[in-house]
Structure formats: structure tokens, C-alpha cells
Amino acid sequence: MTEPSTPRPAASPYDLVGIGIGPFNLALAALAEPVDGLRSLFLEARPCFSWHPGLLMEGTTLQVPFLADLVTMVDPTSRWSFLNYLRVHGRMFPFFFAERFHVPRREYDHYCRWVAESLPSCRFGARVTGLGWDDAAQAFTVEYADAATGARQRVLARNVVLGVGTEPVVPEPLAGLVGEHVFHSAAYLDRRASLAGARDVTVVGFGQSGAEVFLDLLRAQEAEGWRLRWLARTPAFAPMEYSKLGLEHFTPDYIRYFRGLPEDVRERLIPRQWQLYKGISEQTIADIYDLLYERSVGGARPDVTLMPNVAVTGARRAGDRYELDCRHVEQGRDFTVVTDRVVLATGYAPRRPAFLEPLAPLVDWDAKGRYRVDGQYRVALDPRVTGGLYVQNAEMHTHGVGAPDLTLGAWRAATILNAIAGREIQPVPSAVAFTTFGVPEAAPAPEKTAAAEPIPAAPR
């Protein structure tokens, strides 16, 4: 076996190198593509674009309208819009007749793959192994390995945008049990076959993913014969906040307000806003309830348990089964669940990639080891670093609940693009909400005017 070659010398710096190609960096690549004189490169370790493949169940849809595609919210004339995707693929008439505002997840994944495969700046099978800063070149150094050949390359970049996504969160009590029969919902479709033969299946965790997994298991219950259980820490199986004014939390106005709050206030606020980003679509809730209702005809009781307000505090193997120590949060009572399989719909969290370690000493981390991010999504670095390091979907603690939401993806990408270019490539609105989120600036007192002469009384 030959050793990988040493990195080849870098040519002139790219203006922009994006690391990771998910929807957010793909939006940036699409908006950057027509900009004259801007050299960009986007690197992704995976062999092709793939968006949450473990959750692309038939019948699942995006929780945002199709207008929240990669580009439309800032540039509806872009050739990378979802509507142009439909035109190119001969689907405009079927889409029109379907009258769907929320498109299937499978179609969104296919749309993004079409864009990624069409953009010459996107390079797949390129695993980034190191990110550093070169004082002499006044540029970032990005080293990556080709998945097919193992050859290593090194490029320079004036700006780097991290779009490495998030990673599945496994609660500490269950971390030691993850394996064939205990797994995260991110791998649900790949691991679903391992549920065969189970007498009892438990879903732990809330949100849209938990609801979709539970619904899929519920639909298969009569054929598989398993008992189903759904445990969630949230106080209710509640819908996502989707009122028209509620959605204004996903606007530049709210981001500006949130950024102005003291850090301790932001830390307390985000968990209280769980329905803005962890709620379930009303349609999924309705599908679950309607199926339970139909199965209860004639007085039968579906063999399911749905329990909110439950925290899993411990877990262990018990022969070929699993024992979960649970606590009802509101009642303060403990109980034990015995089950055969556990699907963890316990969410995702930003990750600090290993390739960042060479640059880590130059990052101004906050007290919790997170990025400090400014209004243009630029990470605070040592003053000697003249280049820009930007992040996408790693800034909920500084920018609020809109960080992981696709609605703001194009807007954030355009904001970053304008910052990198040093000029307005794409106009981005800063005030779009009807809601005033904070105390308005004091309005000047009206000027005094001369008293108006009284209107003479009408003659009698």
C-alpha cells in the first residue's frame, strides 16, 4: 500500500472556499456562481449530495414552502431556483396540478442534487483534513484528500465558510447502548430492518423526526405486531408555531433583535421557543391521530403509549431487551420501561470538526467553546488573521432559532457573499416584519405649531 502523496503547492488563493455541501453552503455556491471575478471552491467528503437520507420516507414533506429553496428568497430570477428545476425536469405541469406549497422531501433532495451536480465549483469525494492560517500568504490553507485516489491537495483561500452541518445527539444515558437495536433516527431507513421481530419498540425524543418515525411504525404495527411507545421531554406533542406572525421569528428583523439581547437572556430564551423549531407539523399530528382514531372503532384500544413530560435518566441491557429509567418531569415520579428496540429522535447539534484544530488557537471561542459570530456570520479570530471565517447553522446561540431553518438559508448565504465581495452582490432586506420585537427608538416630539384659528360658527 502506497502512502498518500504530500499536498501539492497551492496556486493563487480562492476568494471563497466552502467546506461541506449541505443546503446552506449549496445556496452560497449557487448565488456565487454567476459573480464575475469571484473564484470559489466547495468541498464535500461524501461522494454525492445527500440530505438526511435516513429520513426520506415516502409521504414526508418539507416544513417550509418551496419558495424557501436555495436562492428564491433573495434572487427569484436565478437559474438554480426550484421552479427552474421543475422546468428543466419537465415537472411544471404536474407541480401546478398538484397544488403543493410544501414539496416532498425526496423532491427537495433531488433538486439539491441537481444543483450540486451542475455547479462546477462543487467537488465531492474531497475530505478536508486541515484548516490553518498562512501569515506569509495572508490566506487560509485548506488541505483535503481525494476519496478515490488518496491524493492530498492544498489550496489557499481568502475566505472560508464552514457548512459542515450538525451531528446526531445521543443522550448520555443511552450512549453506551447504541448499536444494532438502539440507533438514532438519522439512520432510520438504513436500520429499519433491524426492528423486525421486535415485540416492543420505543421512540425517544420529540420533533418532526420523532413524529415521522412514530407514524411510520404505527402504519406498520398491524403487520409487524409490535407494541409502540413514544416518550418526549416536551410538555406536549404540540404543533410547530406556524401562524403568520409567529413565522416572523424567521426574519432578519428578529435576528437583529436577538443579537442585541444579553447573552444570559439569549441562553434562557432559546429553550422556551421550542415550538418554533422543534414542533411537529399539524398534518403529521393529524395523520397520527386519525390512524389511532380509526383503530379504536368498536372500542378497541390501540397498543400504543404516547407520553410527554418524560426524561430518560438511565438505561441498560436486560438480556436481549433494554430497561429505560424514566422520570415524569411534572409529577416528579420515576418508572421503568422495558423494550426491545429504541429509536432516538433526539435531535442534532453543531459539531467542531477535527480539521479545524490547526486553526483553533486563533479562534476567539466563547465561555462554552462556541464560535463568536457577528452580524455577517463572520467568526471572531485573532487580529493577525486578515481573512474571513464564516459559519452556517452553527450560530443559534448568537442569532436565534432561525439558524437551522431553510427559510433564512438564501438570505444568510447572500449576506455572507456580500461580506466576502465587499459590495452588494445580492440586495438583502433588513426590515420585513410587521412585528416590533424590541422597544422602538424614541420618536422625536412633534413640533409645536401655531394654534389654528377657530372656525366661525355657521350662520343661523
Side-chain angles (χ1 to χ4, degrees):
M1 179 178 175
T2 59
E3 292 293 325
S5 60
T6 56
R8 289 183 287 178
S12 59
Y14 284 93
D15 297 298
L16 160 63
V17 170
I19 303 178
I21 305 178
F24 296 137
N25 258 1
L26 187 57
L28 180 58
L31 292 172
E33 184 257 347
V35 180
D36 291 335
L38 184 74
R39 293 182 65 233
S40 61
L41 174 68
F42 290 80
L43 304 171
E44 170 58 53
R46 295 172 300 176
C48 63
F49 183 90
S50 183
W51 185 70
H52 295 300
L55 289 169
L56 296 181
M57 286 93 78
E58 187 173 5
T60 57
T61 62
L62 287 187
Q63 288 183 283
V64 295
F66 72 91
L67 292 173
D69 61 13
L70 299 173
V71 294
T72 295
M73 293 294 283
V74 296
D75 185 9
T77 68
S78 170
R79 63 176 175 146
W80 306 118
S81 70
F82 180 76
L83 286 178
N84 192 49
Y85 155 82
L86 293 173
R87 182 190 68 82
V88 169
H89 289 82
R91 289 177 57 80
M92 189 66 81
F93 273 89
F95 179 75
F96 177 76
F97 296 140
E99 296 185 343
R100 301 191 70 157
F101 205 46
H102 294 78
V103 300
R105 284 190 184 180
R106 288 181 177 179
E107 188 168 31
Y108 179 77
D109 176 70
H110 190 259
Y111 154 67
C112 289
R113 194 176 314 123
W114 167 71
V115 175
E117 292 173 353
S118 302
L119 288 172
S121 61
C122 292
R123 189 171 303 173
F124 289 86
R127 182 175 59 86
V128 174
T129 57
L131 175 62
W133 175 253
D134 188 324
D135 283 315
Q138 287 294 285
F140 293 100
T141 59
V142 184
E143 296 187 6
Y144 65 95
D146 185 279
T149 65
R152 291 190 294 158
Q153 297 194 48
R154 180 176 180 267
V155 298
L156 296 176
R158 295 186 180 91
N159 300 277
V160 172
V161 182
L162 301 179
V164 296
T166 54
E167 61 184 358
V169 171
V170 175
E172 191 278 330
L174 291 149
L177 299 178
V178 172
E180 183 181 3
H181 295 154
V182 178
F183 55 88
H184 197 275
S185 59
Y188 178 70
L189 286 182
D190 294 332
R191 306 293 298 278
R192 193 181 184 283
S194 69
L195 301 176
R199 295 162 293 172
D200 187 288
V201 179
T202 299
V203 178
V204 176
F206 187 62
Q208 185 68 16
S209 297
E212 289 172 350
V213 167
F214 182 81
L215 177 58
D216 187 67
L217 295 171
L218 184 62
R219 286 169 170 160
Q221 184 180 31
E222 291 187 337
E224 299 288 350
W226 47 44
R227 172 179 173 76
L228 287 178
R229 186 181 298 101
W230 187 8
L231 309 177
R233 289 189 63 126
T234 51
F237 293 107
M240 178 171 285
E241 170 56 66
Y242 208 74
S243 67
K244 293 177 181 179
L245 287 176
L247 289 175
E248 290 196 337
H249 286 83
F250 303 97
T251 60
D253 308 66
Y254 185 74
I255 291 175
R256 185 171 57 252
Y257 162 75
F258 186 86
R259 281 184 45 74
L261 295 174
E263 182 177 350
D264 62 326
V265 176
R266 296 198 302 257
E267 297 287 344
R268 294 195 303 269
L269 181 58
I270 289 175
R272 298 205 300 263
Q273 295 177 318
W274 60 273
Q275 274 189 262
L276 289 170
Y277 63 101
K278 289 185 178 180
I280 308 168
S281 74
E282 288 190 356
Q283 184 60 57
T284 306
I285 292 175
D287 289 343
I288 291 172
Y289 190 88
D290 290 348
L291 189 50
L292 292 173
Y293 178 82
E294 185 174 342
R295 291 187 182 170
S296 68
V297 172
R301 182 77 178 176
D303 196 11
V304 300
T305 300
L306 292 85
M307 292 187 67
N309 282 305
V310 173
V312 177
T313 58
R316 59 198 162 274
R317 286 199 67 125
D320 60 351
R321 310 191 80 192
Y322 300 90
E323 292 181 350
L324 308 181
D325 296 327
C326 302
R327 183 171 183 82
H328 194 280
V329 176
E330 291 183 353
Q331 290 184 325
R333 295 176 59 185
D334 298 322
F335 62 99
T336 300
V337 164
V338 180
T339 188
D340 300 319
R341 307 283 192 274
V342 182
V343 182
L344 301 171
T346 43
Y348 302 80
R351 59 191 178 96
R352 178 169 161 177
F355 66 72
L356 194 62
E357 289 312 304
L359 192 68
L362 300 178
V363 177
D364 183 15
W365 306 100
D366 74 5
K368 294 187 176 182
R370 303 171 300 192
Y371 304 109
R372 299 185 192 273
V373 188
D374 71 11
Q376 295 179 313
Y377 297 92
R378 182 168 174 160
V379 173
L381 300 172
D382 187 285
R384 85 180 211 223
V385 180
T386 57
L389 179 67
Y390 300 82
V391 291
Q392 302 219 58
N393 194 14
E395 74 287 349
M396 182 182 284
H397 60 292
T398 58
H399 286 63
V401 294
D405 196 273
L406 294 175
T407 304
L408 283 163
W411 179 87
R412 177 174 52 199
T415 300
I416 294 172
L417 181 61
N418 290 345
I420 288 172
R423 66 186 194 278
E424 188 179 75
I425 301 294
Q426 292 286 351
V428 288
S430 60
V432 299
F434 293 113
T435 304
T436 300
F437 288 104
V439 176
E441 297 295 328
E447 295 182 7
K448 292 184 178 180
T449 57
E453 294 184 3
I455 299 174
R460 294 183 180 179

